[in-house]
Amino acid sequence: MKTWKRDGLALALVLVLSGCGGSSGGGSSKAPGGGTLAPPAPTQLPELSGLSSDADVHGRLFYSSTESGKRGLFAYHPERQQSELVDSTPYLNGHLTSLHPIHRADVAADGVTLSNLMIDQVLYFRHQSNNWVPDQLVRVATDPTPLAVEREQVSSASANLIDAVSDLQVFQYDLSDPLQTAYAFKLGSGGNARWQQLRLGTTAQQAPLSFAAGHRVVSTVLDPSSLKPGGWLVVDAQRKLKQVTMDGTVLPEVLAVDIDEVVLLETFRDGSQLLVMAGEDDAAGVLWRYRPGADSNTAGSATDLRNVAGEQLLFPRSLWSDALAVPGDNHRTLDGDDFYIATTSPGLLITTDAQLYRISRNGWEQLLSLGSADVMDFQNHAVLGNFLVASNGHLLWTLNGAIEKVSKTAPYSRSVWVEAVDGAFDALPELVARRDGWLFFNRRLTHDDYQAIAMHEGGQPSVLLPDTRWVGASTSGRGTLLGNLSDLEISEVFFWDAAAKEVGAVEASAPLQGRVRLGTLPDSVTEVNMSNVGAGPHRLLQLVHGNRYEVVAVDTRATDSMVHLLDQLAAGEQDAFLTRPVSGF
């Protein structure tokens, strides 16, 4: 069993959250053949009594519930198989950013490799005296040892915190000591707004540290010497980029140009960051690289990255809003010191062009430009799919419903690896997990049926489960910090068999070995959801029964381990959907 220890090397990890947002789509044209695989025949997997590659984490699991008469934040103790009410007044009014899992892990001396990753704390907003407005920050621990969960108020902040929930929030994780995780948020609105910062271990008697008036936090600074939170990047009242230390000291300007919007694309292992920045009147954002100073008290610098022709890389604004149309997480992948992105022209409904870029610390290059921005050009459609990942010597992405391999070396040749569904170029494969050459993806057929497919790049026999979807995955707790924790080793992948009315799981490294059935479902279940990758063997799932909801617990080490955690289904059109696991549980 993993212990909740407080030692080990620290490393700050960045997370930027906003109350709302979106990402751009993309596209591709038909690629030449070579190594093409058609979906396999349906697979009959052997039945197993349990799986054994989990992270061996047995802490409390947290979920929110809007069950009639039992609304609140709950913790489930998997070994006691008991749920307890943690808080009857958490702020759950539709904001996904009101409940934050805070991780811990052991980080190796290389500053990149991690193990024993788990959620250590949950930071959340609650309403102490006003049922509609959050006015208190609280944390709870996942440690299973205490008989009951104890809430700890974080800081003396007790005013209207609604802007902190609905606006931008920025975290810097300290994985060796989660209570040193740094958190920046906005307090108040309009001319009275002031950004604040605190540590997760800040007590109820301590006030948050205020940033200077007019300062708006846009990103973080890693201390390269200690690998701990080192400060913040802010835009000041004159719209200049500045750096602020953890004690609030304002350092010299990092960039003295007009800046209104800043979007973080990626953080490299040396602490440098790829930022897309735009002025208030700019039609597009420009790609910059921020380099931290020699220590946390020295201001860093920023340089706009250019290609060999001296051109900047531009990101236009969305047609739906004024926000910059930067690629989402599923269209970005970090491979060593190279960062790849897939983009498409901003469009209203469907976009039919795609571009592939490689970005290094010193510049960028366009590898491919496909399709046409003219949606009516039916002979040259390039519809970008749902994922871009780096693999052995090549990239994998989805284009026009097919999965393609793209070489990382010139001339960046493409080949179809998995064919598209006939007559359905928009039936895009949905990548759920990957491990050791295995890709687990869902495919929607033309009649809205689904298939759960697992295919191996090395040519091993594939898995196809009809009327089934992969719904989520667990991690072994090992991986790297590259890609902001997107490179975690997957241990199990979960599925929902709609025809057999079952949920189950397979080993991510060897799905052909068999499946464990975790439980059977009533006929009323219309959807099964999981909330991001987490450490097992114990996980939570949301079951949807039309417009009613519940949360169940499963244990991948045992067959038919499903435990229903609610006495009755949560109902109601306004907030029943808020009955769900906290992210990562």
Side-chain angles (χ1 to χ4, degrees), residues 390-455:
S391 191
N392 298 325
H394 57 265
L395 302 169
L396 291 170
W397 67 353
T398 47
L399 297 163
N400 290 341
I403 301 178
E404 290 186 1
K405 292 183 179 181
V406 181
S407 173
K408 297 177 186 176
T409 58
Y412 313 114
S413 58
R414 301 158 49 221
S415 60
V416 173
W417 182 48
V418 181
E419 294 176 335
V421 176
D422 288 342
F425 72 90
D426 60 342
L428 305 175
E430 173 201 10
L431 182 66
V432 176
R434 61 190 182 107
R435 164 80 185 271
D436 297 345
W438 283 102
L439 265 72
F440 297 82
F441 60 92
N442 294 322
R443 164 159 270 161
R444 179 175 61 84
L445 305 180
T446 53
H447 43 0
D448 268 352
D449 289 336
Y450 279 81
Q451 296 173 333
I453 300 174
M455 303 187 76

Side-chain angles (χ1 to χ4, degrees), residues 233-296:
L233 292 179
V234 303
V235 173
D236 67 9
Q238 289 72 45
R239 294 205 287 266
K240 310 303 181 187
L241 187 67
K242 290 187 175 180
Q243 186 171 327
V244 178
T245 66
M246 297 303 295
D247 63 5
T249 302
V250 181
L251 301 179
E253 287 179 344
V254 174
L255 192 61
V257 300
D258 179 71
I259 297 173
D260 178 63
E261 186 171 357
V262 180
V263 180
L264 172 66
L265 278 183
E266 186 56 74
T267 302
F268 291 111
R269 67 182 71 196
D270 63 357
S272 65
Q273 299 178 22
L274 296 177
L275 303 172
V276 178
M277 295 190 280
E280 185 176 23
D281 298 323
D282 292 341
V286 176
L287 177 67
W288 294 77
R289 178 190 171 197
Y290 163 79
R291 296 174 176 85
D295 55 52
S296 59

Side-chain angles (χ1 to χ4, degrees), residues 207-527:
L209 179 65
S210 293
F211 288 84
H215 280 192
R216 172 168 52 93
V217 177
V218 294
S219 192
T220 62
V221 177
L222 175 68
D223 185 338
S225 59
S226 67
L227 297 177
K228 284 179 172 290
W232 312 90
L233 292 179
V234 303
V235 173
D236 67 9
Q238 289 72 45
R239 294 205 287 266
K240 310 303 181 187
L241 187 67
K242 290 187 175 180
Q243 186 171 327
V244 178
T245 66
M246 297 303 295
D247 63 5
T249 302
V250 181
L251 301 179
E253 287 179 344
V254 174
L255 192 61
V257 300
D258 179 71
I259 297 173
D260 178 63
E261 186 171 357
V262 180
V263 180
L264 172 66
L265 278 183
E266 186 56 74
T267 302
F268 291 111
R269 67 182 71 196
D270 63 357
S272 65
Q273 299 178 22
L274 296 177
L275 303 172
V276 178
M277 295 190 280
E280 185 176 23
D281 298 323
D282 292 341
V286 176
L287 177 67
W288 294 77
R289 178 190 171 197
Y290 163 79
R291 296 174 176 85
D295 55 52
S296 59
N297 294 311
T298 303
S301 60
T303 306
D304 61 327
L305 296 183
R306 299 174 180 252
N307 62 9
V308 293
E311 299 168 322
Q312 296 175 320
L313 183 56
L314 303 180
F315 295 82
R317 295 189 182 275
S318 169
L319 297 182
W320 290 105
S321 68
D322 200 37
L324 296 175
V326 300
D329 291 342
N330 57 327
H331 290 142
R332 315 175 192 173
T333 185
L334 186 62
D335 184 35
D337 292 330
D338 291 326
F339 181 60
Y340 296 88
I341 61 172
T343 67
T344 188
S345 300
L348 292 176
L349 294 175
I350 188 171
T351 54
T352 54
D353 66 315
Q355 301 81 38
L356 180 64
Y357 297 93
R358 177 165 53 211
I359 303 170
S360 68
R361 290 181 173 88
N362 301 312
W364 64 272
E365 59 180 320
Q366 185 182 77
L367 308 186
L368 294 172
S369 180
L370 306 168
S372 169
D374 180 5
V375 176
M376 300 306 293
D377 182 1
F378 296 107
Q379 301 301 315
N380 197 24
H381 275 182
V383 179
L384 185 63
N386 297 317
F387 65 85
L388 168 72
V389 296
S391 191
N392 298 325
H394 57 265
L395 302 169
L396 291 170
W397 67 353
T398 47
L399 297 163
N400 290 341
I403 301 178
E404 290 186 1
K405 292 183 179 181
V406 181
S407 173
K408 297 177 186 176
T409 58
Y412 313 114
S413 58
R414 301 158 49 221
S415 60
V416 173
W417 182 48
V418 181
E419 294 176 335
V421 176
D422 288 342
F425 72 90
D426 60 342
L428 305 175
E430 173 201 10
L431 182 66
V432 176
R434 61 190 182 107
R435 164 80 185 271
D436 297 345
W438 283 102
L439 265 72
F440 297 82
F441 60 92
N442 294 322
R443 164 159 270 161
R444 179 175 61 84
L445 305 180
T446 53
H447 43 0
D448 268 352
D449 289 336
Y450 279 81
Q451 296 173 333
I453 300 174
M455 303 187 76
H456 194 275
E457 291 190 71
Q460 294 188 34
S462 301
V463 173
L464 185 148
L465 305 177
D467 301 313
T468 300
R469 297 187 206 183
W470 305 114
V471 295
S474 288
T475 176
S476 65
R478 297 183 293 270
T480 73
L481 292 165
L482 301 179
N484 213 9
L485 281 185
S486 65
D487 193 29
L488 294 176
E489 181 181 81
I490 299 301
S491 51
E492 298 89 21
V493 186
F494 296 78
F495 64 83
W496 165 40
D497 185 333
K501 300 178 177 58
E502 295 177 346
V503 293
V506 300
E507 296 274 7
S509 61
L512 291 168
Q513 287 185 358
R515 49 166 250 168
V516 57
R517 185 183 67 241
L518 299 174
T520 56
L521 305 174
D523 293 342
S524 58
V525 170
T526 55
E527 192 172 343

Side-chain angles (χ1 to χ4, degrees), residues 13-20 91 95-102 123-125 134 137 161-173 182-187 195-196 198 200 211 216-220 232 264 484:
L13 185 69
V14 178
L15 179 63
V16 180
L17 298 168
S18 59
C20 59
Y91 185 72
H95 292 288
L96 297 175
T97 53
S98 62
L99 294 159
H100 301 288
I102 307 298
L123 176 70
Y124 68 96
F125 292 85
L137 269 171
L161 296 174
I162 186 64
D163 291 287
V165 178
S166 58
D167 211 297
L168 188 73
Q169 303 175 58
V170 184
F171 283 82
Q172 292 192 70
Y173 292 112
Y183 171 49
F185 60 98
K186 189 175 77 171
L187 189 63
W195 275 78
Q196 316 284 318
L198 52 79
L200 201 67
F211 288 84
R216 172 168 52 93
V217 177
V218 294
S219 192
T220 62
W232 312 90
L264 172 66
N484 213 9

